[in-house]
Amino acid sequence: MEKRIRVLVAKPGLDGHDRGAKVVARALRDAGFEVVYTGIRLTPEQIAEAALQEDVDVVAMSLLSGAHNTLFPKVVTLLKEKGAAGKLIIGGGVIPDADIPGLKAAGVSEVFTPGTPTNSIVDYIKANVK
């Protein structure tokens, strides 16, 4: 039996808008992934700890508040510090195109912006989970 891909969907920071994260979580579940949705307003430390406790393959973060350049890399750093550097980390939300290269350089594998078809996220995860 093939192992199901486990995905943590998280909302870091003070952003309380979670409709997009819930839509993505549902699409990932419908695609056959095991999804853990953490809810809103988590610290990077809480997200990293949840990723470790849930032993997920993917950490998917959504953010609309503009703090992505701080919070996404902080989660990446914490996961590396805790020995979980191999997890696929993706981000999404209202993120300016100009910020995406910096996020990728910080260890976010891919960034999905508004209008991205959910099947593109599913396909990306399937292609990149090791």
Side-chain angles (χ1 to χ4, degrees):
M1 183 172 170
E2 187 174 322
K3 179 185 174 237
R4 289 177 69 188
I5 295 173
R6 293 177 53 87
V7 182
L8 183 81
V9 176
K11 295 280 303 175
L14 299 176
D15 178 9
H17 302 278
D18 64 348
R19 183 175 296 172
K22 289 178 177 174
V23 168
V24 170
R26 175 71 183 249
L28 298 177
R29 187 193 72 187
D30 290 349
F33 300 154
E34 190 172 336
V35 177
V36 177
Y37 177 58
T38 62
I40 60 175
R41 299 188 180 108
L42 297 180
T43 65
E45 290 81 3
Q46 289 171 314
I47 293 170
E49 190 60 36
L52 292 170
Q53 288 180 3
E54 296 291 343
D55 192 26
V56 295
D57 305 294
V58 181
V59 176
M61 295 180 283
S62 169
L63 196 58
L64 305 176
S65 69
H68 51 271
N69 285 331
T70 301
L71 298 176
F72 287 0
K74 179 71 175 173
V75 172
V76 172
T77 299
L78 289 168
L79 287 171
K80 286 180 183 174
E81 289 174 358
K82 295 176 182 285
K87 298 190 184 304
L88 181 69
I89 301 171
I90 60 175
V94 180
I95 297 172
D97 289 343
D99 291 350
I100 293 173
L103 291 171
K104 288 184 175 182
V108 178
S109 180
E110 188 57 86
V111 177
F112 299 95
T113 55
T116 300
T118 54
N119 64 340
S120 295
I121 301 168
V122 169
D123 291 345
Y124 184 83
I125 290 171
K126 286 180 177 176
N128 290 284
V129 167
K130 298 173 184 159

